[in-house]
Amino acid sequence: MARAAGSEEDMHRIDIPETHTEPLASILNNLRLERCGTGRYRGQNLVQITGKVYGGQVLGQATMAAADDVQRSLGIGEDERLAHSITAAFQRAGHLDEPIEFQVEEINDLRSFSTRNVTAYQGDRLIFTARVSFQLRQPGPTLASPMPDVPGPEGLPSSVDFFGALDNVFAKVMSSTNGIDMRRVEGDIYLRPDPGRSPRQHLWLRARSPMPEGTSRTLQRAMLGYSADQFMLEPALRALGLAWLSRGISVATLDHAIWWHRNFDMSEWILAEMECVSAQNGRALVNAKFFQDGRHIASMSQEGMVRVPLPALN
């Protein structure tokens, strides 16, 4: 399909409603990519104590870029074609001090589906690739996994309170910049391993402050991708008898696939049911289902690098 040449409008940013409540305000501003021409976008980076770009940030930005390109190239609204899947690969670690340039390539625009490839660069360094698929709203048969029966989030320890109570640089950054409240049914493994070494765990999550009025369904989906990258590999650590602060541990996302099934609201509690299904050769694979109000809203798979000195696994 032929595209119109870039115009002055292309230099504007993706339209995302604003909030003045931090840290959600900074996250939404990060997803408000700058349009740099047809199929081209630029994004900045969120502060990270690791000194590297957070993978969930790039995943969320790529989702927003692909959706904006579909809507603009077809001249349609979000309701007409909504992202239903993304399959992403993290090629290299990103540097915090460099903006990220996203290039969106049209693969097809068919009667019911649209597909886009997204590549992300810092200078001439390719750091990320993804395929994002969109579908016209259509009726069809319905089937969904049942929501697990687990304790609710209200009585569980909050990640916000946990980091807020610690007096170190890492905790202060997490407390001030992480816009997601996480509550683990089986307990956290930040400082020490789970003695039970179960490969399964359940985690409640939601935005620390309500999403602003006018939030699109695309932005909700991008926010779930942004959120999940920080805990998807945790069942692998739990099963291997590791903690996030185990000596010598090195964890990084290699690839991440998301299938969005139903609409949801990041302002309300979402339950993640996760399982590590394999770990070998310094890699681990985790599958997850996400639920809200009894509905199966999304599924994910993530493979990541999990490396530790061998004695740590004894």
Side-chain angles (χ1 to χ4, degrees), residues 14 22 37 48-49 56 99 119-121 139 145 160 171 186 203 235 272 286 299:
I14 292 177
E22 291 290 359
Q48 297 294 321
I49 194 67
T119 50
Y121 290 85
S145 297
V160 177
E186 290 82 10
L203 181 149
V286 174
S299 300

Side-chain angles (χ1 to χ4, degrees), residues 29-89:
N29 189 55
N30 177 263
L31 296 174
R32 194 176 290 111
L33 299 176
E34 177 186 358
R35 297 188 184 106
C36 302
T38 303
R40 295 171 50 234
Y41 300 82
R42 180 181 297 114
Q44 303 300 322
N45 302 311
L46 294 164
V47 174
Q48 297 294 321
I49 194 67
T50 62
K52 299 177 181 179
V53 173
Y54 168 53
Q57 168 204 301
V58 187
L59 191 73
Q61 290 172 326
T63 302
M64 297 301 298
D68 188 72
D69 184 79
V70 167
Q71 293 164 30
R72 290 166 65 80
S73 64
L74 295 180
I76 61 174
E78 182 206 33
D79 286 346
E80 296 184 55
R81 296 203 178 202
L82 190 63
H84 70 86
S85 71
I86 181 171
T87 304

Side-chain angles (χ1 to χ4, degrees), residues 71-250:
Q71 293 164 30
R72 290 166 65 80
S73 64
L74 295 180
I76 61 174
E78 182 206 33
D79 286 346
E80 296 184 55
R81 296 203 178 202
L82 190 63
H84 70 86
S85 71
I86 181 171
T87 304
F90 296 84
Q91 308 292 349
R92 294 180 179 87
H95 302 313
L96 286 179
D97 58 353
E98 295 182 50
I100 300 176
E101 306 286 342
F102 293 88
Q103 180 67 53
V104 181
E105 177 189 3
E106 177 186 311
I107 300 304
N108 59 48
D109 285 313
L110 305 177
R111 180 178 300 178
S112 300
F113 291 90
S114 291
T115 307
R116 295 294 186 271
N117 273 352
V118 183
T119 50
Y121 290 85
Q122 287 186 319
D124 60 356
R125 298 174 63 253
L126 176 67
I127 66 169
F128 173 91
T129 58
R131 178 190 57 79
V132 191
S133 184
F134 301 79
Q135 185 186 12
L136 182 73
R137 292 188 67 183
Q138 294 175 309
T142 298
L143 178 67
S145 297
M147 184 170 175
D149 184 12
V150 300
E154 290 76 12
L156 299 176
S158 165
S159 61
V160 177
D161 296 338
F162 175 85
F163 288 114
L166 295 180
D167 186 18
N168 61 56
V169 174
F170 174 80
K172 290 183 185 300
V173 172
M174 287 292 291
S175 178
S176 62
T177 64
N178 195 339
I180 305 301
D181 185 357
M182 297 172 287
R183 305 190 179 191
R184 294 159 172 82
V185 174
E186 290 82 10
D188 71 77
I189 56 169
Y190 291 125
L191 304 179
R192 54 189 61 87
D194 176 3
R197 294 198 175 196
S198 172
R200 300 176 181 85
Q201 79 170 68
H202 300 83
L203 181 149
W204 292 96
L205 70 143
R206 71 175 177 185
R208 285 172 59 175
S209 57
M211 299 290 289
E213 185 177 352
T215 294
S216 68
R217 294 178 296 171
T218 295
L219 180 56
Q220 298 279 10
R221 294 174 185 218
M223 278 292 294
L224 184 60
Y226 159 85
S227 305
D229 191 54
Q230 62 188 300
F231 57 75
M232 274 291 290
L233 289 177
E234 190 164 287
L237 305 188
R238 190 179 294 272
L240 294 171
L242 299 170
W244 284 107
L245 295 183
S246 290
R247 185 183 299 274
I249 192 171
S250 181

Side-chain angles (χ1 to χ4, degrees), residues 252-280:
T253 304
L254 298 175
D255 45 54
H256 193 158
I258 304 175
W259 298 267
W260 296 285
H261 308 312
R262 295 168 179 83
N263 298 326
F264 55 89
D265 185 355
M266 288 293 299
S267 303
E268 304 297 332
W269 287 111
I270 293 172
L271 176 66
E273 179 186 43
M274 301 179 286
E275 181 180 10
C276 177
V277 296
S278 182
Q280 72 295 309

